């Protein structure tokens, strides 16, 4: 079927020839638009834990629309599992819409903070080089310690840990991932559809059926 | 006879805002939602609601159960027989946690319920107060929706949402936890507006024409099409639409246990029951059909057996209202997402009238084999002890297949589902997805309240009856008429069967002793009888059915009979065994 061919050609962009996209685990980013409701975080989280799937990163924040919240959830799973999870999440009453994307389809960032002894860093490291090389900046400089901040992908924030470890890294913390979908035109139009009591005839709300083979779905 | 009642809501003309307590506002909401019966049990944290109920006794009938689990199963039975939303009250802490099994059962079997639990005062939340439990978090995985009310002003809107969510789309249980202060609090009650839209929730999708057309085309080209139907047909009130589709297409149709009764058991195109203990033909021929049309069913593992050997040769058309069911277990060739009451007539219109009599004959041939190998001996044994099957067979004759049959879980359940005949929809009430022992007695009580004009027969094993036997007290006090048949084989029969077949007959803790059930019943003022001889069976059944009131009949049946056919776990449906 042509749907399956589409799927394969998409798979071939990122995976070795012939590998089944449905069967290979990789990182997926869920973007979930929801009402702001107490308990909804738990309702969504247990969809993963019930299936013994680890959430690698979870962020909740406001979205481009006032009163609507946006979850970013990262997991490492096969597309097949991810698709089923997306439908289970979207089934929740207070969830408006779920999207899932591979890392290639999103712009994403994580923020990290590093606390190191100021003495060490001043004496032994070339601070200026570090800051330039890792895109970091100093947030606080005190006599006893300095806090650096950097944002970027996982490997970038990880790399700075390695570098700072020899200088007596005191504390490290990294935020959850936030991600913007490259192909999305935002949620405003969609929300207007949802707010109609009766969907307009031109609204195709089960459009996911068209794109059963695509990454961007539902 | 049509006992179905679509929920009808009449909104009283809005008077001026009145001062009401939260508890009274709740009861006002229930009245407008058409509630007539509540199953419940009072306790400290729900006392203000019960205090308000004191003044509503002429409008709302409250059935005092003997355990909250009994209350929620009664609510399920009520919902399943009437088509209305079941309503259950329980107090905080242990009252609420006792609802959990019933919530899980109702969620997996898509039963519409609104459960109201009392909760400690809002200022005590999180302090480990007396009878405080985190009910919202405990019930989140087993409810379609839940919400904690801490302010009386929220009550009208939240109850409206609760009923709307419970009954719309794919139905399910909703729990509303109301803190005691909100029940007591007086507020200016603005009147009640039923909910018909929640922006983040789309219960009924717009039907997609192209999939209707593709489905019709596949059906028109099919040489060996096969229909599987489930409870979705009942939940969508689509029995007539379904019958029209089956009859025009001429396609053999088989049912899941929750779908039983959507069309008559004796309908010429009804080829029987699916699944692990289903009929021979439907299981074998699932792996021979060319187009499989699944309507309102979810391809449960007890229906499909081994998935990678399930209907691999067939194109699959899947009709379901819940998008999460499409492609979940079995990949659909044509997904028809929508309410089958809408989608079925659209497909019926596009298909040609057809006759698949040669293909249908194949089902009948397998049926003949099954009758010879299994059914004849089960239903009409000439010697030995009474079998479960012959009890059901005689019950069919005496009730003329008009009764509601409520079953518990285990061997008797499979036998009852296999052999009970149904002339009407909403007649087979059983715990399907969760397999909850103890379901039948309270569910039968609820079913009778939901369909007071019909005979309700509970068929229960000697194990399951003892899990909720206290509900005999509910029967006693409410005076409801329920016929109770205990099929006693002195074993936990289904587990024993598995131990015999798959664990070298190592009978590990399946030998269960029982009290004298007739004496127990008489303690509750319920007449009863126990029979163990074939010659006494029919008369005893007659006595039970003719008695004006509840009656308990214990039938001592063969101890070590097995339910066959059987698809052993991990096997394909076509590997079904006749012995």
């Amino acid at each position: 079927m042509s749907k399956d061919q589409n799927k394969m050609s998409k798979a071939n962009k990122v995976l070795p020839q012939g590998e089944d996209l449905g069967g290979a685990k990789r990182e997926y980013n869920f973007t979930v638009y929801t009402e702001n409701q107490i308990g909804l975080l738990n309702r969504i989280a247990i969809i993963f834990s019930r299936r013994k799937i680890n959430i690698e990163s979870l962020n909740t924040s406001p979205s481009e629309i006032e009163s609507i919240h946006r979850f970013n959830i990262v997991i490492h799973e096969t597309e097949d599992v991810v698709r089923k999870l997306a439908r289970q999440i979207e089934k929740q009453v207070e969830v408006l819409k779920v999207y899932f994307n591979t890392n290639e389809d999103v712009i994403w960032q994580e923020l990290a903070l590093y606390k190191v002894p100021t003495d060490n860093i001043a004496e032994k490291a070339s601070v200026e080089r570090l800051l330039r090389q890792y895109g970091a900046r100093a947030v606080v400089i005190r006599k006893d310690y300095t806090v650096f901040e950097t944002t970027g992908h996982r490997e970038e924030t990880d790399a700075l840990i390695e570098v700072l470890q020899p200088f007596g890294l005191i504390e490290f913390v990294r935020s959850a991932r936030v991600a913007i979908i490259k192909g999305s035109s935002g949620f405003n139009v969609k929300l207007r559809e949802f707010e109609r009591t009766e969907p307009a005839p031109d609204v195709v709300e089960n459009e996911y059926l068209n794109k059963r083979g695509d990454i961007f779905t539902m | 006879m049509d006992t179905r009642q679509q929920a009808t809501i009449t909104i009283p003309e809005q008077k001026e805002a009145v001062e009401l307590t939260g508890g009274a506002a709740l009861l006002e909401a229930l009245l407008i939602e058409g509630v007539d019966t509540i199953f419940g049990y009072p306790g400290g944290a729900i006392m203000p609601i019960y205090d308000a109920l004191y003044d509503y006794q002429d409008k709302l009938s409250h059935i005092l159960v003997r355990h909250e689990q009994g209350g929620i199963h009664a609510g399920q039975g009520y919902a399943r027989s009437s088509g209305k939303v079941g309503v259950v009250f329980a107090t905080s802490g242990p009252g609420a946690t006792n609802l959990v099994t019933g919530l899980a059962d109702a969620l997996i079997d898509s039963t519409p319920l609104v459960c109201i639990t009392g909760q400690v005062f809002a200022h005590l939340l999180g302090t480990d107060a007396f009878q405080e439990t985190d009910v919202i978090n405990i019930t989140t995985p087993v409810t379609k929706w839940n919400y904690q009310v801490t302010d009386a002003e929220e009550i009208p809107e939240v109850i409206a949402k609760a009923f709307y969510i419970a009954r719309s789309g794919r139905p399910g249980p909703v729990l509303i936890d109301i803190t005691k202060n909100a029940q007591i609090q007086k507020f200016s009650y603005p009147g009640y507006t039923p909910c018909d839209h929640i922006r983040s929730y789309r219960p009924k999708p717009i039907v997609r024409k192209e999939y209707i057309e593709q489905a019709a085309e596949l059906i028109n080209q099919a040489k060996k099409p096969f229909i599987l139907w489930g409870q979705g047909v009942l939940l969508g009130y689509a029995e007539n639409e379904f019958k029209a589709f089956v009859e025009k297409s001429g396609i053999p149709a088989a049912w899941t246990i929750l779908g039983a009764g959507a069309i008559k058991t004796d309908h010429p195109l009804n080829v029987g029951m699916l699944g692990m203990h289903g009929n021979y033909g439907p299981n074998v021929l699932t792996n021979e059909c060319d187009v499989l049309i699944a309507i309102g069913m979810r391809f449960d593992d007890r229906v499909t057996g081994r998935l990678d050997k399930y209907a691999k040769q067939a194109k699959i058309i899947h009709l379901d209202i819940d998008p999460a069911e499409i492609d979940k277990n079995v990949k659909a060739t044509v997904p028809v997402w929508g309410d089958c009451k809408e989608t079925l007539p659209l497909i019926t219109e596009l298909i040609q009238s057809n006759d698949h009599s040669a293909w249908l004959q194949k089902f009948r041939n397998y049926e003949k084999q099954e009758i010879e190998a299994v059914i004849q001996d089960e239903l009409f044994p000439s010697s030995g002890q009474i079998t479960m099957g012959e009890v059901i067979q005689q019950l069919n004759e005496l009730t003329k297949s008009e009764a509601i049959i409520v079953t518990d879980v285990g061997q008797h359940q499979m036998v009852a589902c296999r052999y009970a005949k149904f002339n009407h929809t909403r007649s087979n009430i059983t715990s399907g997805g969760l397999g909850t022992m103890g379901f039948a007695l309270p569910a039968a009580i609820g079913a009778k309240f939901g369909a007071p004009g019909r005979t309700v027969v509970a068929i229960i094993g000697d194990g399951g009856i003892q899990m909720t036997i206290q509900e005999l007290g509910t029967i006693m006090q409410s005076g409801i008429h329920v016929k109770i048949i205990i099929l006693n084989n002195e074993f936990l029969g289904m587990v024993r069967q598995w131990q015999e077949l798959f664990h070298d007959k190592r009978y590990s803790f399946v030998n269960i002793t029982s009290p004298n059930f007739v004496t127990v019943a008489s303690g509750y003022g319920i007449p009863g009888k126990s029979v163990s001889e074939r010659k006494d069976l029919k008369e005893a059944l007659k006595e039970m059915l003719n008695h004006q009131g509840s009656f308990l009949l214990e039938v001592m049946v063969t101890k070590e009979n097995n339910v066959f056919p059987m698809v052993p776990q991990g096997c394909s449906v076509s590997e079904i065994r006749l012995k």
Side-chain angles (χ1 to χ4, degrees):
Chain A
M1 273 172 75
S2 63
K3 268 182 197 162
D4 290 337
Q5 281 159 12
N6 277 341
K7 190 166 156 180
M8 282 315 294
S9 68
K10 198 140 200 168
N12 289 343
K13 273 193 282 183
V14 288
L15 290 168
Q17 283 283 334
E19 190 158 348
D20 179 9
L21 188 64
K25 283 191 183 185
R26 53 189 194 148
E27 239 171 48
Y28 281 92
N29 299 271
F30 287 97
T31 305
V32 185
Y33 287 94
T34 75
E35 300 290 353
N36 182 14
Q37 178 92 21
I38 293 171
L40 186 58
L41 172 61
N42 185 29
R43 215 169 243 288
I44 290 173
I46 61 176
I47 288 170
F48 297 92
S49 56
R50 174 180 175 186
R51 293 165 178 81
K52 211 165 180 187
I53 292 168
N54 191 36
I55 294 175
E56 310 280 339
S57 160
L58 187 153
N59 186 78
T60 71
S61 79
S63 72
E64 57 271 27
I65 301 163
E66 202 189 330
S67 86
I68 289 193
H69 269 226
R70 177 176 178 144
F71 285 57
N72 276 126
I73 303 168
V74 183
I75 65 164
H76 194 76
E77 259 305 337
T78 64
E79 191 198 334
D80 199 38
V81 170
V82 166
R83 188 183 303 282
K84 287 175 185 172
L85 289 167
R87 289 182 190 167
Q88 294 297 334
I89 299 168
E90 194 161 278
K91 191 164 146 172
Q92 304 309 317
V93 170
E94 276 123 358
V95 171
L96 288 130
K97 203 76 189 154
V98 181
Y99 301 99
F100 64 87
N101 302 90
T102 59
N103 286 349
E104 289 75 31
D105 292 330
V106 295
I107 309 292
W108 60 277
Q109 293 280 280
E110 292 165 350
L111 177 144
L113 298 176
Y114 313 75
K115 185 161 125 188
V116 282
T118 303
D119 283 356
N120 285 2
I121 207 86
E123 283 168 23
K124 296 173 193 162
S126 164
V127 178
E128 198 188 321
R129 184 181 61 80
L130 277 181
L131 299 188
R132 279 176 193 283
Q133 198 172 338
Y134 294 94
R137 66 187 190 91
V139 188
V140 170
I141 304 171
R142 286 172 37 143
K143 252 189 200 160
D144 44 351
Y145 64 80
T146 298
V147 174
F148 292 112
E149 173 214 299
T150 182
T151 56
H153 284 193
R154 181 69 51 91
E155 51 275 22
E156 293 163 337
T157 50
D158 275 352
L160 193 53
I161 306 179
E162 299 281 309
V163 174
L164 293 176
Q165 207 65 270
F167 302 109
L169 181 65
I170 302 166
E171 267 190 71
F172 166 74
V173 65
R174 178 165 50 212
S175 76
R177 176 182 300 185
V178 292
I180 292 273
I181 305 166
K182 288 179 184 171
S184 165
S185 47
F187 199 65
N188 270 300
V189 177
K190 200 94 220 154
L191 182 68
R192 281 200 289 279
E193 291 173 13
F194 279 106
E195 283 180 339
R196 291 171 191 267
T197 308
E198 286 300 322
D202 56 323
V203 174
V204 182
E205 36 173 37
N206 41 353
E207 79 267 45
Y208 87 95
L209 293 174
N210 288 346
K211 300 173 181 171
R212 291 206 300 162
D214 281 7
I215 302 283
F216 188 89
T217 165
M218 302 260 306
Chain B
M1 180 169 51
D2 191 350
T3 59
R4 292 174 308 162
Q5 293 164 285
Q6 286 263 20
T8 47
I9 298 172
T10 43
I11 310 162
E13 215 167 292
Q14 179 57 46
K15 291 173 239 147
E16 278 175 40
V18 286
E19 184 109 311
L20 283 185
T21 63
L26 165 70
L27 301 178
E28 284 293 323
L30 297 186
L31 283 177
I32 296 168
E33 290 291 348
V35 175
D36 51 26
T37 309
I38 299 160
F39 301 93
Y41 205 102
I46 198 171
M47 280 179 63
I49 288 174
Y50 272 84
D51 186 61
L53 191 56
Y54 190 81
D55 295 327
Y56 283 76
Q57 291 178 62
D58 54 333
K59 296 178 222 155
L60 287 167
S61 152
H62 176 275
I63 308 305
L64 179 67
V65 294
R66 292 297 178 273
H67 186 285
E68 290 84 356
Q69 186 187 354
I72 190 165
H73 290 329
Q76 291 178 272
Y78 175 90
R80 297 265 286 268
S81 74
S82 71
K84 293 164 69 175
V85 178
V87 178
V88 183
F89 284 1
T91 193
S92 66
T97 57
N98 281 342
L99 297 180
V100 170
T101 304
L103 290 169
D105 194 288
L107 184 69
I108 202 164
D109 281 351
S110 309
T111 308
L113 293 181
V114 170
C115 298
I116 308 292
T117 50
Q119 180 58 281
V120 300
F121 285 90
H123 72 269
L124 292 175
L125 288 171
T127 64
D128 303 323
F130 177 65
Q131 292 194 328
E132 187 205 353
T133 303
D134 185 356
V135 172
I136 292 297
N137 278 308
I138 285 178
T139 59
T140 292
V142 290
T143 49
K144 184 173 173 185
W145 188 64
N146 60 7
Y147 188 83
Q148 186 172 62
V149 172
T150 51
D151 185 327
E153 294 198 13
E154 295 179 284
I155 285 176
E157 194 190 331
V158 167
I159 298 301
K161 272 178 86 172
F163 276 88
Y164 174 61
I165 291 166
R167 71 160 74 95
S168 61
R170 181 178 181 173
V174 169
L175 182 138
I176 306 299
D177 195 36
I178 308 178
T179 56
K180 199 166 179 180
N181 58 292
Q183 301 170 33
I184 299 166
Q185 182 193 339
K186 284 194 172 162
F187 72 113
S188 167
Y189 174 70
Y192 184 79
T193 314
C195 176
D196 63 357
H197 177 245
I198 297 170
R199 71 174 179 183
S200 59
Y201 170 65
R202 272 274 180 261
K204 257 193 204 181
I206 296 174
V207 175
R208 291 281 296 274
K209 211 174 150 214
E210 62 265 42
Y211 289 108
I212 299 285
E213 289 165 355
Q214 284 173 28
E217 198 182 322
L218 270 185
I219 292 167
N220 283 335
Q221 287 166 0
K223 297 278 176 280
K224 293 190 282 184
F226 183 24
I227 294 168
L228 317 180
W229 91 83
Q231 196 191 197
V233 175
L234 281 69
L235 294 171
Y237 297 100
E239 292 90 346
N240 292 337
E241 290 78 1
F242 175 65
K243 187 161 174 263
F245 169 70
V246 171
E247 288 175 351
K248 186 174 182 190
S249 67
I251 300 174
W255 38 274
T256 71
I257 61 171
L258 293 191
I263 54 174
K264 280 187 178 190
T265 312
D266 288 334
H267 190 283
L269 288 166
N270 185 340
V271 294
M273 172 173 149
L274 291 165
M276 185 174 268
H277 292 290
N279 290 115
Y280 196 37
N283 275 304
V284 173
L285 295 173
T286 295
N287 279 358
E288 210 182 301
C289 66
D290 58 357
V291 175
L292 196 67
I293 306 139
I295 305 172
M297 56 86 76
R298 59 186 176 85
F299 293 109
D300 175 73
D301 64 277
R302 286 298 194 266
V303 161
T304 63
R306 195 169 149 175
L307 260 187
D308 62 356
K309 290 187 177 174
Y310 182 80
K312 286 295 172 195
Q313 80 294 341
K315 294 207 159 59
I316 314 276
I317 301 171
H318 193 176
L319 286 75
D320 207 291
I321 199 166
D322 179 359
E325 288 302 339
I326 288 170
D327 294 347
K328 187 184 84 178
N329 293 334
V330 172
K331 195 120 183 115
T333 317
V334 179
V336 184
W337 182 23
D339 182 344
C340 63
K341 194 171 178 74
E342 291 168 29
T343 54
L344 278 172
L346 294 173
I347 297 176
T348 307
E349 203 182 308
L350 295 181
I351 57 172
Q352 295 138 12
S353 288
N354 213 332
D355 171 74
H356 291 281
S357 49
W359 167 235
L360 178 64
Q361 190 52 44
K362 277 200 140 179
F363 286 87
R364 297 304 172 199
N365 293 344
Y366 277 109
E367 189 184 9
K368 211 175 273 173
Q369 288 182 48
E370 187 180 341
I371 289 172
E372 282 164 19
V374 179
I375 299 175
Q376 184 65 29
D377 288 345
E378 181 66 34
L379 299 193
F380 309 101
S382 47
S383 61
Q385 276 195 284
I386 299 171
T387 64
M388 292 185 180
E390 69 182 309
V391 180
I392 309 296
Q393 162 66 23
Q394 298 199 11
L395 191 66
N396 285 339
E397 286 178 14
L398 293 170
T399 60
K400 301 189 175 60
S401 314
E402 294 286 321
I404 292 178
I405 305 288
V406 186
T407 51
D408 215 72
V409 171
Q411 284 189 317
H412 75 277
Q413 175 192 33
M414 290 298 107
V415 170
C417 288
R418 281 175 57 79
Y419 300 117
K421 290 189 173 183
F422 301 108
N423 288 341
H424 306 288
T425 187
R426 296 188 177 274
S427 296
N428 187 35
I429 297 174
T430 192
S431 167
L434 200 68
T436 306
M437 285 175 72
F439 174 82
L441 183 60
I445 296 169
K448 181 68 178 176
F449 277 106
R454 301 187 63 188
T455 300
V456 174
V457 183
I459 298 171
I460 315 178
D462 47 322
I465 184 76
Q466 294 185 67
M467 287 201 178
T468 47
I469 198 163
Q470 76 284 347
E471 299 308 329
L472 291 173
T474 307
I475 293 176
M476 175 177 65
Q477 188 170 359
S478 67
I480 194 83
H481 296 184
V482 177
K483 315 295 179 186
I484 305 154
I485 299 177
I486 299 174
L487 297 178
N488 187 346
N489 59 5
E490 300 171 80
F491 271 118
L492 299 174
M494 188 57 92
V495 180
R496 188 210 55 74
Q497 172 171 348
W498 282 53
Q499 288 177 348
E500 177 190 331
L501 297 176
F502 312 117
H503 296 273
D504 302 324
K505 256 191 159 180
R506 287 152 54 89
Y507 288 171
S508 186
F509 302 98
V510 288
N511 200 327
I512 185 169
T513 45
S514 295
N516 183 325
F517 289 119
V518 177
T519 310
V520 171
S522 78
Y524 284 100
I526 298 167
K529 192 163 221 173
S530 182
V531 295
S532 49
E533 299 285 328
R534 178 158 294 116
K535 61 179 172 47
D536 302 326
L537 177 61
K538 192 155 218 158
E539 276 312 307
L541 284 167
K542 271 189 200 163
E543 187 185 345
M544 175 191 83
L545 291 168
N546 292 336
H547 177 74
Q548 290 298 312
S550 292
F551 193 97
L552 183 144
L553 174 64
E554 179 189 38
V555 183
M556 304 304 295
V557 295
T558 44
K559 285 187 73 166
E560 294 186 61
N561 250 20
N562 290 332
V563 186
F564 279 113
M566 179 175 192
V567 181
Q569 202 162 38
C571 289
S572 156
V573 282
S574 52
E575 295 172 89
I576 183 167
R577 290 166 54 178
L578 281 173
K579 53 185 175 187

